[in-house]
Amino acid sequence: MIQGFRDFILRGNVIELAIAVVIGSAFTALVGAFTTNIISPVLAAAGGVDASGWGFPVRPGNDATFVDIGALVTAIITFLITAAVVYFLFVVPMNRANARLRSLSASQEPEEEPTPVDIALLTEMRDLLKEISARDARP
């Protein structure tokens, strides 16, 4: 039971997933700081004279009913930046490394070419003819 657990933990996918979670959480903090300190002020400045940014109140005078479109745009930008960095820094290099490993393993182990159907049939016919002639040759 412990051997199975160890095999599961040491399997490449689990370790890669753990690394991705740690790096992803650290990167999320970085992107969050970027969007909070750079993107959000720019969106708020583009929203107009009042500092509320992009958005509108459902009930005027009630701040609890403010629909903050700037926060949604900020979240979308945060997601796109995070996804792009994860793709270009992790997924693309990993795919290239896997392709290289596959090509190296393929070049080291030559595959056996499958026997063509006609040759396989001729071989069976030859073996059957030898067997028949061996039976007929017995007295």
Side-chain angles (χ1 to χ4, degrees):
M1 186 162 125
I2 292 187
Q3 176 68 27
F5 180 72
R6 190 182 80 182
D7 292 343
F8 171 74
I9 293 298
L10 294 178
R11 192 177 309 154
N13 294 341
V14 174
I15 293 171
E16 291 169 6
L17 181 62
I19 291 169
V21 167
V22 170
I23 290 175
S25 64
F27 185 71
T28 300
L30 176 69
V31 172
F34 175 76
T35 55
T36 301
N37 297 314
I38 294 176
I39 302 292
S40 293
V42 170
L43 291 177
V49 176
D50 62 354
S52 59
W54 287 352
F56 58 91
V58 176
R59 283 190 157 176
N62 187 352
D63 289 339
T65 64
F66 185 75
V67 177
D68 193 0
I69 296 173
L72 177 64
V73 171
T74 301
I76 291 170
I77 291 171
T78 301
F79 172 76
L80 291 176
I81 290 171
T82 304
V85 169
V86 166
Y87 179 75
F88 289 112
L89 290 182
F90 298 107
V91 174
V92 170
M94 191 66 148
N95 288 342
R96 286 184 183 162
N98 286 338
R100 282 187 188 154
L101 288 175
R102 274 188 251 123
S103 68
L104 285 175
S105 66
S107 65
Q108 291 174 353
E109 297 175 11
E111 291 185 22
E112 293 182 22
E113 293 184 24
T115 306
V117 176
D118 56 344
I119 293 177
L121 287 173
L122 288 171
T123 304
E124 285 181 37
M125 290 169 50
R126 180 198 64 201
D127 294 343
L128 285 172
L129 286 172
K130 282 182 183 178
E131 186 179 312
I132 290 171
S133 66
R135 264 189 286 161
D136 290 344
R138 291 187 207 161

